[in-house]
Amino acid sequence: MIHAERSFWESELYDRTYDLIIVGAGLTGQSIAHFYKKAHPDERVMVIDRGFFPIGASTRNAGFACFGSVTEHMADMKIEEESRIIERIRRRFNGLQLLRETLGDENIGYREPGAYEVFTDKKVYTEALEHLDICNRWLNEAAGADQVYQATEHNGFPAISIEHEGCLHPGKMMRTLYEKNLKLGVEFRWQTQVKKIEETQAVLILENGIELKAERLAIATNSFTSKLLSSVDIKPGRGFVFVTKPIKDLKWNGTYHYDAGYYYFRGAGEDRLLLGGARSLDIDVETTTDFGTNEKIKNHLISFADDVLKLPKGWEIEIEWSGIMGFTPTKSPILKRISDKTALVAGLSGMGVALGMQLGKEASELVVE
Ligand SMILES: Cc1cc2nc3c(=O)[nH]c(=O)nc-3n(C[C@H](O)[C@H](O)[C@H](O)COP(=O)(O)OP(=O)(O)OC[C@H]3O[C@@H](n4cnc5c(N)ncnc54)[C@H](O)[C@@H]3O)c2cc1C
């Protein structure tokens, strides 16, 4: 660490109280910055992240622009009341519209190649079909969309088609938002780890000892939040994903869900398949903020690709990675003020592509209320 007293010039220009500092440069944090700066163009807004680029989930996810499969909603019914589930679907649906309008479909590689939940177990399928009506009603109530879920068959599997679901390129999404924020005049500090937050005073103490003051703070650190605010109940959940090398005549070019959303796969362009999930196989080990590959899960997904998806012999993984999600006990995200000067938005529970911008916009308003 470099120890040096402040120069006159540093004190005047650099060492100033910001109007708003946001911790976390993922989709949520950068969306707070975006909408706040648009509403308050003359104010100084800074986003801080510990990574060289954002290294949470926003650049490491699977790029599903989705609002839930039928078995995912069925699992949610067991832990949350109906009105909260409908509210979350509304936020996801609206969030996707907002994301597309704000960034532009072409800039984020948005497309709708056809979406399905596929089944291998007859009993689970029958149970899911029994829930079609309620799920369609929820989508109608939340988003005004009709008959979103319909029984069908896909690639020889019993399936439920999902209208309006799409996919995007998370890297392009984050790059576009970053460029828009730079144009608006948002400042960024990369590789800057926050060690401590004094939320009442709106003061941040950085790992390098520097203290930053702001009029207001917003904390958007998702799965890493409990490290900074120990009373916040968000559990990390590591997700594993791989993308294959091009596969000739790949038949899985849409977006797919399996087993309550625990497995997901999609065409990733150029005849490549992206496959991820299966965290449920080793849930305790995967409750971690450490990046890395769990060989048990990786081998299981390889078998799933061979035995269930029947990828042609000789297919290969091109690249694999992990990312960390943040789960609240009910999967509903946290959006609240934790002091007069500080707002917290975190715990997007694996749904942040859809929720991140919407929650960021709501947080940009909450922080000034
Ligand atoms: C493998 C995987 C697949 C997923 N697939 C999908 C999907 O297909 N569709 C979907 O909707 N969602 C998906 N998600 C979830 C989605 O990516 C997240 O919900 C969303 O990106 C969360 O965004 P965020 O900005 O809130 O958090 P993050 O993107 O995690 O950002 C938090 C940021 O805070 C920074 N930070 C943390 N602590 C500190 C600190 N002390 N000091 C400074 N900076 C700090 C981190 O570096 C990070 O950049 C997936 C997630 C994973 C991991």
Side-chain angles (χ1 to χ4, degrees):
M1 201 203 309
I2 304 162
H3 288 285
E5 68 287 359
R6 289 272 181 278
S7 74
F8 177 73
W9 325 112
E10 285 167 342
S11 304
E12 199 173 61
L13 282 173
Y14 292 94
D15 191 21
R16 283 168 52 187
T17 302
Y18 279 78
D19 293 295
L20 174 65
I21 299 182
I22 298 142
V23 187
L27 178 61
T28 309
Q30 288 210 43
S31 296
I32 301 174
H34 187 78
F35 290 103
Y36 187 91
K37 188 70 179 164
K38 266 188 172 163
H40 310 274
D42 298 331
E43 295 198 9
R44 291 190 80 192
V45 177
M46 180 159 79
V47 183
I48 292 179
D49 201 284
R50 60 183 188 155
F52 183 65
F53 40 73
I55 45 163
S58 296
T59 47
R60 313 181 72 80
N61 64 65
F64 282 69
C66 59
F67 40 82
S69 63
V70 169
T71 60
E72 183 186 334
H73 294 316
M74 282 162 61
D76 289 348
M77 275 179 219
K78 293 182 187 145
I79 52 172
E80 194 148 55
E81 62 191 65
E82 190 179 29
S83 61
R84 307 254 313 183
I85 301 177
I86 296 174
E87 181 50 33
R88 199 164 60 221
I89 296 172
R90 179 177 292 121
R91 265 192 173 148
R92 286 173 88 172
F93 209 93
N94 292 347
L96 287 170
Q97 298 306 318
L98 180 68
L99 184 73
R100 293 173 59 192
E101 276 162 29
T102 309
L103 302 182
D105 283 353
E106 210 169 304
N107 295 330
I108 61 176
Y110 182 84
R111 55 200 180 89
E112 290 181 11
Y116 303 88
E117 176 164 20
V118 290
F119 297 81
T120 48
D121 185 315
K122 275 224 162 75
K123 194 166 154 260
V124 179
Y125 187 52
T126 310
E127 230 185 296
L129 294 186
E130 284 163 7
H131 287 80
L132 274 192
D133 284 350
I134 186 167
C135 290
N136 278 327
R137 177 170 65 73
W138 286 353
L139 255 298
N140 186 274
E141 226 171 282
D146 276 330
Q147 298 300 309
V148 168
Y149 303 102
Q150 287 187 47
T152 184
E153 204 194 76
H154 187 77
N155 285 344
F157 287 85
I160 294 174
S161 61
I162 310 172
E163 199 71 22
H164 305 301
E165 175 176 306
C167 59
L168 50 77
H169 186 308
K172 287 185 180 172
M173 169 185 81
M174 291 308 294
R175 183 78 207 176
T176 305
L177 180 55
Y178 177 56
E179 282 168 0
K180 284 189 183 288
N181 277 339
L182 287 180
K183 276 197 189 129
L184 286 173
V186 174
E187 295 177 42
F188 285 84
R189 293 282 181 277
W190 298 106
Q191 291 190 296
T192 302
Q193 171 121 7
V194 174
K195 192 173 152 195
K196 194 163 178 264
I197 296 167
E198 287 173 7
E199 62 265 28
T200 333
Q201 309 299 324
V203 171
L204 296 175
I205 295 146
L206 307 181
E207 199 65 47
N208 59 15
I210 289 174
E211 207 178 279
L212 293 176
K213 295 186 204 86
E215 294 298 334
R216 299 180 187 91
L217 289 179
I219 316 300
T221 44
N222 201 32
S223 55
F224 311 98
T225 305
S226 339
K227 290 190 174 180
L228 288 169
L229 301 164
S230 57
S231 62
V232 176
D233 188 7
I234 292 175
K235 289 210 167 37
R238 184 168 61 186
F240 174 75
V241 176
F242 66 69
V243 170
T244 66
K245 289 186 176 167
I247 296 171
K248 203 169 171 286
D249 300 326
L250 180 72
K251 58 178 190 172
W252 298 103
N253 287 305
T255 59
Y256 305 94
H257 307 262
Y258 178 76
D259 188 16
Y262 274 115
Y263 296 63
Y264 42 86
F265 46 105
R266 53 168 278 209
E270 301 169 326
D271 274 347
R272 294 171 197 274
L273 181 81
L274 176 152
L275 172 58
R279 210 167 44 84
S280 46
L281 211 70
D282 209 354
I283 205 100
D284 290 339
V285 174
E286 295 307 293
T287 306
T288 175
T289 49
D290 295 337
F291 295 99
T293 299
N294 180 330
E295 289 300 325
K296 184 175 162 187
I297 289 175
K298 179 179 168 181
N299 290 332
H300 176 79
L301 287 174
I302 291 172
S303 303
F304 182 81
D306 283 330
D307 304 339
V308 180
L309 305 185
K310 305 256 186 262
L311 294 192
K313 282 210 166 24
W315 69 272
E316 285 178 76
I317 293 177
E318 164 108 26
I319 181 167
E320 64 186 52
W321 69 89
S322 65
I324 317 293
M325 295 167 268
F327 290 93
T328 63
T330 60
K331 285 172 64 188
S332 276
I334 300 171
L335 170 63
K336 64 175 184 185
R337 284 166 79 126
I338 53 171
S339 80
D340 282 352
K341 293 181 161 214
T342 304
L344 167 68
V345 50
L348 280 77
S349 304
M351 300 172 275
V353 171
L355 285 173
M357 185 166 274
Q358 176 68 29
L359 287 169
K361 186 166 190 266
E362 289 176 36
S364 76
E365 290 154 13
L366 181 73
V367 81
V368 281
E369 266 171 22

